[in-house]
Amino acid sequence: MPFAQLVIGPPGSGKSTYCDGMNQFMSAIGRKCSVVNLDPANDHTSYPCALDVRNLVTLEEIMKDDELGPNGAVLYALEELEQNFQWLEDGLKGLGGSADCEICDSEDYVLFDCPGQVELFTHHSSLRNIFYRIQKLGYRVLPPSAVEPCDRTVLTNVCFQLVALHLTDSYSLTLPSLFISTLLLSLRAMLQMDLPHLNVLTKIDKLSTYAPLPFNLDFYTEVQDLTYLMPYLAKESPRMQSGKYEGLNKAIIELVEDFGLVSFETLAVEDKKSMMTLLQAIDRAGGYAFGAAEGANDTVWQVAMREGMNTMDIRDVQERWLDRKDEFDEMGRRALEEEAQARDAPSLTDDAGDEDDDDVEELERHFPDSGVNVVRRS
């Protein structure tokens, strides 16, 4: 159980949808995956929940007993989880385990679905403290030895490999002021969480339904020269045209550029290529791509994931979801129809196999018995 994703982001960014989609995608490529719900307000999860914080504390109970509002109750719930960390530790050790040795066999890739209150990953300490302690829960077996069965003396404690995944709705690209705010939020989350970190623009397949962007997509994902946004910020509101706001905007832009940390991946959760490209970036950030977790009996999907096959760069994303979206959608629809027709077509292999068996039996009748009896060892 050494690898995990911490899915954070503001409300409506698609965290639970992502966890559901990634759980299904990992199952398709042969990775054991479990989803842990850390949101005490999420009482209807769309994914199979392996561990749910609501079994420890619920938002409704806190709001009633302590007379807190929704935001304060979520903060209180995470503080409660931090104080009762043993409950979370026991639950995590049981993921993918067996009766013989629950730690050795616990190899599930874990997705943590976190609450959407931005205070939790910008300045409140409980969520960060919880993940710092989770990092210490990983275990790994030393190189093969003659020990049979599992001997706990061959275990060595290693760090739990975590990657913070900060999701943001791609609608934030449509307004310059909203994009600048997104950059600040992403930068603050990176500094606060202090973990391998990826920022992701979700719902990229919906971007074509909004107003046209003044720049290509790579301008936003690579966070290029932000001074080009200044004229568009001034046009967004008459208030932005005053010298006071122009100076503030320039200072914020310089702050983001001076750190030079923020960039974005893109995601359309229902698109296989998009999911594969993002998962490869996550694997590189967390070290999964450099391990030997997948063996000789890999599926085609596992080989493709490891070798970087059939992925998309930002120019492909621009073409697929903005420049030629309708054309690609039509190609995808035709491919699905052809696949359905091929699946429903009558199979000829069974009939051919029966004919081959008849031919073999006919030949055997024309050859005399050699008198040799072949005995095969089982």
Side-chain angles (χ1 to χ4, degrees):
M1 193 176 58
F3 296 97
Q5 298 176 26
L6 319 177
V7 186
I8 60 177
S13 58
K15 296 184 295 298
S16 295
T17 302
Y18 168 81
C19 289
D20 186 18
M22 184 57 73
N23 180 47
Q24 296 181 41
F25 185 76
M26 286 191 177
S27 298
I29 65 174
R31 289 191 197 178
K32 294 188 295 182
C33 179
S34 297
V35 186
V36 176
N37 177 36
L38 294 184
D39 187 355
N42 188 1
D43 56 349
H44 293 91
T45 57
S46 57
Y47 46 78
C49 192
L51 188 61
D52 194 343
V53 72
R54 289 179 61 84
N55 294 331
L56 175 68
V57 60
T58 65
L59 191 72
E60 296 80 8
E61 292 175 350
I62 297 175
M63 293 176 64
K64 180 180 178 180
D65 296 341
D66 297 280
E67 299 182 353
L68 294 173
N71 288 338
V74 170
L75 298 180
Y76 186 92
L78 267 293
E79 292 173 357
E80 187 74 14
L81 178 60
E82 182 183 2
Q83 294 299 319
N84 294 274
F85 184 79
Q86 187 63 44
W87 174 87
L88 181 60
E89 180 178 352
D90 294 340
L92 290 176
K93 285 184 178 180
L95 299 183
S98 67
D100 297 330
C101 182
E102 64 175 5
I103 299 179
C104 292
D105 294 334
S106 185
E107 293 294 340
D108 279 21
Y109 195 118
V110 183
L111 306 176
F112 290 96
D113 187 7
C114 300
Q117 276 68 18
V118 296
E119 301 94 326
L120 291 171
F121 49 87
T122 57
H123 60 271
H124 195 267
S125 61
S126 287
L127 191 64
R128 181 185 61 183
N129 294 341
I130 289 170
F131 289 144
Y132 278 175
R133 296 180 67 176
I134 288 176
Q135 283 184 301
K136 306 302 180 182
L137 299 182
Y139 291 84
R140 179 180 298 160
V141 181
L142 289 175
S145 63
V147 180
E148 289 185 19
C150 175
D151 185 352
R152 287 178 184 264
T153 61
V154 303
L155 289 175
T156 180
N157 200 353
V158 299
C159 288
F160 207 119
Q161 303 298 320
L162 306 179
V163 177
L165 209 63
H166 185 203
L167 307 187
T168 304
D169 193 329
S170 60
Y171 179 78
S172 61
L173 305 185
T174 60
L175 293 174
S177 60
L178 189 55
F179 179 60
I180 296 297
S181 300
T182 298
L183 292 174
L184 281 176
L185 179 60
S186 301
L187 177 60
R188 185 67 190 98
M190 296 178 76
L191 299 176
Q192 170 75 6
M193 299 305 294
D194 196 23
L195 291 168
H197 193 109
L198 288 176
N199 300 298
V200 182
L201 294 170
T202 61
K203 309 176 189 178
I204 202 69
D205 50 327
K206 305 296 183 184
L207 195 55
S208 62
T209 62
Y210 308 138
L213 301 178
F215 305 102
N216 285 338
L217 201 54
D218 59 350
F219 174 84
Y220 300 94
T221 58
E222 297 172 7
V223 190
Q224 299 176 4
D225 191 352
L226 297 177
T227 57
Y228 286 101
L229 285 177
M230 294 292 290
Y232 297 93
L233 279 168
K235 294 178 182 178
E236 186 176 324
S237 170
R239 182 177 299 178
M240 294 290 186
Q241 298 176 6
S242 68
K244 178 176 62 175
Y245 286 102
E246 181 180 357
L248 176 61
N249 293 333
K250 185 177 180 180
I252 294 175
I253 286 174
E254 290 177 352
L255 173 67
V256 174
E257 291 182 335
D258 287 346
F259 273 96
L261 295 177
V262 184
S263 62
F264 293 94
E265 303 291 334
T266 61
L267 175 65
V269 74
E270 296 181 355
D271 184 73
K272 289 189 292 187
K273 283 187 178 181
S274 182
M275 291 288 281
M276 180 187 295
T277 302
L278 178 60
L279 185 54
Q280 285 181 337
I282 297 170
D283 288 347
R284 291 192 298 269
Y288 190 96
F290 310 107
E294 295 165 346
N297 296 321
D298 288 350
T299 65
V300 174
W301 277 104
Q302 288 172 313
V303 174
M305 286 298 304
R306 190 169 56 249
E307 300 298 331
M309 301 164 57
N310 204 27
T311 57
M312 306 172 69
D313 63 20
I314 193 59
R315 292 168 295 182
D316 298 325
V317 176
Q318 171 87 27
E319 183 180 32
R320 171 63 183 91
W321 299 114
L322 291 177
D323 298 341
R324 300 171 56 197
K325 183 178 185 299
D326 294 338
E327 182 180 344
F328 275 94
D329 287 345
E330 180 63 20
M331 292 168 57
R333 186 186 62 80
R334 290 178 181 176
L336 289 175
E337 290 179 354
E338 292 174 359
E339 183 180 343
Q341 291 174 0
R343 189 167 52 245
D344 297 337
S347 176
L348 301 178
T349 56
D350 294 339
D351 296 338
D354 294 341
E355 293 177 0
D356 292 342
D357 292 340
D358 294 339
D359 293 340
V360 171
E361 293 176 359
E362 182 67 22
L363 287 172
E364 289 176 347
R365 285 197 293 268
H366 291 287
F367 287 95
D369 186 3
S370 65
V372 178
N373 294 324
V374 178
V375 178
R376 300 187 182 279
R377 294 180 179 180
S378 57

